[in-house]
Amino acid sequence: MSDEFFTRKEFDEAADAIRNRTRHHPQIGLILGSGLSPLADEVGKADAIPFSEIPHFPVSTIEGHMGSLVIGELAGQSVMVMQGRTHYYEGYSMQRITLPVRVMQVLGVHTLFVTNAAGGINLRFQPGDLMLITDHINIIGMAGLNPLRGPNLDEFGPRFPDMSCAYDRALQMIARRVASDLGFTLQEGVYMCLAGPSFETPADIRFLRAAGADAVGMSTVPEVTVARHGGTRVMGVSGISNVAISDPSEDRETTHEEVLEAGRIIVPRLIGLLKGVLRDLPPV
Ligand code: HPA
């Protein structure tokens, strides 16, 4: 089987395997980034399915990504939570890392919440901040790594999908209100996805800042691209796990451990934010 171009048949096989293991009919998808998996513990009446038991699903290979699908109830909504995700740098194709989003679409998910751990590029950001993603820069897509490459899946969406409003404005407004009610500052900005796995050089960071990025990570954009192609509504939040280093004379390093550690600060805020938005979710 090709790792690059999947068809409806493969999405259906995965969707059928999931249907056989849960009584829920989720309409909301949630993808949890590095260090954010504890959020899935909030899901009530949960059915958990390891990714390894779902046909065609990619399996996470890194610490901090648990690798199961948790389906149940959260803040009055029926949700399907990817507890962990896979990335292009793990060796999977763009199409395979985004296959779970296609399967969500087949299962009837109309709204997707994507989260990630990201390095703060904007000088006002601090570790532990949440950043509402208002837009993204698909620099790896510009260079050719787009999950929509290959035969277009017409039943999901058009060959040339619009990306002028990838992150739903109404959901952003609700998120701002919820954060203000909860009493924390919700940063906002543009997320830039690189392929990884090496972190950026200081010169990379200065380049990304000049290009208009506020935060940098190694995920999210492929999933959002596939979600929007299929007409799924999206809200995205980055947990700022570290401040990216843009001055080579700074005596600091970026480590995966600091990314996971910041997750512990970010998780309670993110839980509050997501639950608040889910409670007030407008119909599609
Ligand atoms: N760079 C890229 N990806 C990341 C970072 C970073 O500094 N922090 C968390 N994910």
Side-chain angles (χ1 to χ4, degrees), residues 159-238:
R159 171 76 290 185
F160 302 108
D162 177 56
M163 291 293 287
S164 62
C165 190
Y167 298 85
D168 189 82
R169 293 211 183 93
L171 295 187
Q172 289 180 40
M173 272 163 47
I174 297 169
R176 289 182 191 109
R177 186 179 37 73
V178 170
S180 140
D181 290 350
L182 291 174
F184 69 84
T185 303
L186 183 60
Q187 306 284 11
E188 299 193 8
V190 173
Y191 176 85
M192 172 95 90
C193 170
L194 304 186
S198 44
F199 287 117
E200 301 71 37
T201 65
D204 285 334
I205 294 300
R206 294 194 302 276
F207 166 77
L208 301 180
R209 185 178 290 141
D214 295 293
V216 60
M218 305 173 191
S219 69
T220 302
V221 169
E223 294 143 353
V224 171
T225 304
V226 168
R228 294 303 301 141
H229 176 259
T232 306
R233 178 170 68 168
V234 172
M235 182 176 123
V237 182
S238 292

Side-chain angles (χ1 to χ4, degrees), residues 5 9 43 52-54 62 73 85 96 98 100 111 121 131 157-158 184 214 220 224 247:
F5 305 128
K9 179 173 166 289
V43 175
S52 58
E53 294 173 19
I54 306 172
I62 44 173
E73 292 172 8
R85 61 145 68 81
R96 175 136 3 224
T98 54
T111 303
I121 293 183
M131 182 191 89
F184 69 84
D214 295 293
T220 302
V224 171
D247 176 356

Side-chain angles (χ1 to χ4, degrees), residues 34 116-120 191-192 194 197-200 205 216-218 239-245 254-255 258-259:
S34 301
N116 57 55
Y191 176 85
M192 172 95 90
L194 304 186
S198 44
F199 287 117
E200 301 71 37
I205 294 300
V216 60
M218 305 173 191
I240 303 299
S241 56
N242 56 291
V243 174
I245 300 160
T254 304
T255 65
E258 75 180 316
V259 171

Side-chain angles (χ1 to χ4, degrees), residues 1 3 6 11 14 18 49-62 65-69 82-88 90-103 223:
M1 188 186 55
D3 190 43
F6 295 95
F11 305 144
I18 295 166
I49 314 170
F51 293 157
S52 58
E53 294 173 19
I54 306 172
H56 315 298
F57 257 51
V59 176
S60 325
T61 61
I62 44 173
H65 284 265
M66 312 250 305
S68 49
L69 190 62
M82 298 268 301
Q83 194 177 29
R85 61 145 68 81
T86 53
H87 308 76
Y88 181 73
E90 291 174 72
Y92 297 111
S93 67
M94 280 286 169
Q95 287 81 355
R96 175 136 3 224
I97 63 171
T98 54
L99 178 137
V101 176
R102 286 295 186 217
V103 175
E223 294 143 353

